[in-house]
Amino acid sequence: MSAADPQTPAPDIVRCAYVELVVTDLGASRAFYVDLLGLHITREEPGALYLRTLEEFIHHNLVLRLGPVPALAVAAFRVRTPADVDAAQAYYTALGCRTERRREGFVAGIGDSVRVEDPLGFPFEFFYEAAHVERLTRRYDLASAGELVRLDHVNLVTAEVARGRDYLEGLGFRVSEDIRDSAGTTYAVWMHRTQTVHDIALTGGAGPRLHHIAFATHEKHNILHICDKMGALRISARIERGPGRHGVSNAFYLYILDPDGHRVEIYTQDYYTGDPDNPVVSWDVHDNQRRDWWGNPVVPSWYTEASPVLDLAGQPRPLHILAGASEQSIAVGADGFSYTRDDSGRGFKLGEQL
């Protein structure tokens, strides 16, 4: 993939705005995302459901579309001006990427948009025009104890983390944290356009695949309520990991699986990154507190399982296998626990601010 012409400016990206997932049973998905997680319905149509979080004012944050194979159809980013949609098309054309433009939009509630197959093989969309809907911030009569307030980020699996980091920095994303080793290998990176820790993260592995989408809550107790509710519904087997506290991002987290196996993170209490000299936090891959601050082991499925992604024709993308060492192979021993856990009393190799 050729580098973009330096005379072709990158679009000014505001945030990760919505995700479109292919699901195989809309009824089961509705029960999960609406009845369990409390997302609010903006629109229903044959074969699709449009959902939003409590604080959202554009049409939706999540589209669930019926299809034969569970997959990520697109991760969509809002840009600052209508001209930035033109800029996105020009930028990815200069990169040699496949693009498709629809002035009427690809989904309900979204106007002029361009979709691309990015250099790593991920389906991205860039748009400015969006229908406005009621922001439900003051609708306390509709809010639940586990209320999801915004779409926070997407985490993507790629065999080319270092290359992806360079490409996303060229697109205007800034690094907040990463995981690497003393040889300089980067295993994962967290990057942001908003003033949070990340709008997008890259995790090393066979890709392109979607690792998870994440919704934010205001407080830890909102996440604990979701756990209690899942227990009451006898679906606690869908809790894959957590609740816990991340080292990377410092956020309180929970990972759960939807009926198709799409991974959803519920996430709260990361930190402000808006200053231009915000320091990067770099974690040693051998520090077993990087993924869980309490030192709890990461379940193997969290490293190995992820959702396929589609190309612009709606076909699953072929996978590129990670050539070097994986984070899991370094950090997980035969017993499932980090073999780098230091029981000598010397402490852990904690993240350092650069």
Side-chain angles (χ1 to χ4, degrees):
M1 188 70 65
S2 60
D5 184 333
Q7 302 305 311
T8 305
D12 187 357
I13 296 169
V14 175
R15 60 173 171 133
C16 181
Y18 83 85
V19 171
E20 181 179 341
L21 295 178
V22 179
V23 299
T24 60
D25 185 331
L26 270 179
S29 294
R30 178 185 176 130
F32 180 85
Y33 288 100
V34 178
D35 299 340
L36 173 65
L37 295 183
L39 288 174
H40 302 273
I41 298 173
T42 300
R43 175 187 172 99
E44 293 184 82
E45 61 187 32
L49 186 62
Y50 293 75
L51 306 173
R52 71 184 191 275
T53 56
L54 187 79
E55 296 181 352
E56 188 55 77
F57 73 93
I58 69 168
H59 191 264
H60 58 265
N61 299 121
L62 180 64
V63 181
L64 302 173
R65 192 170 302 281
L66 188 63
V69 178
L72 169 69
V74 77
F77 298 87
R78 196 169 196 201
V79 293
R80 195 164 301 279
T81 70
D84 284 301
V85 181
D86 299 324
Q89 186 174 27
Y91 187 81
Y92 281 94
T93 298
L95 282 175
C97 296
R98 180 181 179 182
T99 69
E100 183 179 347
R101 181 83 171 261
R102 291 190 189 177
R103 303 286 177 175
E104 74 282 8
F106 292 84
V107 298
I110 303 296
D112 182 21
S113 311
V114 60
R115 288 191 174 186
V116 309
E117 295 174 9
D118 90 335
L120 303 179
F122 293 102
F124 283 174
E125 177 181 299
F126 301 92
F127 73 94
Y128 172 78
E129 297 175 6
H132 287 198
V133 292
E134 180 187 6
R135 176 177 269 160
L136 301 173
T137 310
R138 296 173 181 84
R139 290 299 307 272
Y140 297 105
D141 55 314
L142 299 179
S144 71
E147 194 68 34
L148 308 183
V149 295
R150 70 174 187 275
L151 177 65
D152 191 84
H153 63 266
V154 293
N155 187 307
L156 306 174
V157 183
T158 177
E160 301 177 282
V161 172
R163 179 180 175 225
R165 176 181 187 153
D166 290 343
Y167 144 64
L168 289 172
E169 286 184 319
L171 197 55
F173 286 85
R174 296 169 57 201
V175 176
S176 57
E177 306 203 19
D178 65 13
I179 295 173
R180 57 187 181 175
D181 61 20
S182 58
T185 301
T186 301
Y187 295 85
V189 62
W190 286 255
M191 308 184 74
H192 63 97
R193 289 291 298 177
T194 56
Q195 298 175 348
T196 59
V197 170
H198 59 314
D199 295 273
I200 191 168
L202 300 179
T203 295
R209 292 182 296 164
L210 170 69
H211 191 273
H212 65 264
I213 64 173
F215 293 99
T217 66
H218 281 151
E219 299 289 347
K220 297 190 296 292
H221 67 78
N222 304 125
I223 292 177
L224 296 177
H225 173 77
I226 292 171
C227 293
D228 284 340
K229 192 171 182 179
M230 293 181 74
L233 294 171
R234 299 286 184 175
I235 56 171
S236 58
R238 293 190 194 173
I239 297 175
E240 181 190 33
R241 183 177 164 214
R245 172 79 68 182
H246 282 309
V248 174
S249 82
N250 196 54
F252 198 80
Y253 71 86
L254 173 72
Y255 293 98
I256 57 180
L257 303 175
D258 83 356
D260 284 292
H262 294 306
R263 182 180 291 107
V264 178
E265 182 182 18
I266 315 299
Y267 179 97
T268 192
Q269 298 180 342
D270 60 358
Y271 57 89
Y272 171 80
T273 60
D275 285 6
D277 57 349
N278 180 73
V280 175
V281 178
S282 191
W283 291 81
D284 188 321
V285 71
H286 294 286
D287 181 355
N288 76 300
Q289 287 187 278
R290 72 200 182 285
R291 291 290 188 182
D292 185 279
W293 183 241
W294 307 333
N296 292 321
V298 179
V299 294
S301 64
W302 193 89
Y303 282 117
T304 59
E305 301 299 321
S307 300
V309 305
L310 303 182
D311 63 19
L312 295 188
Q315 298 302 309
R317 296 280 304 188
L319 295 184
H320 298 280
I321 305 304
L322 185 68
S326 69
E327 184 183 349
Q328 182 188 21
S329 68
I330 292 173
V332 177
D335 61 356
F337 286 83
S338 170
Y339 60 69
T340 59
R341 181 185 294 274
D342 189 342
D343 294 321
S344 68
R346 293 175 296 176
F348 300 104
K349 298 179 180 180
L350 300 181
E352 295 180 355
Q353 294 191 8
L354 303 182

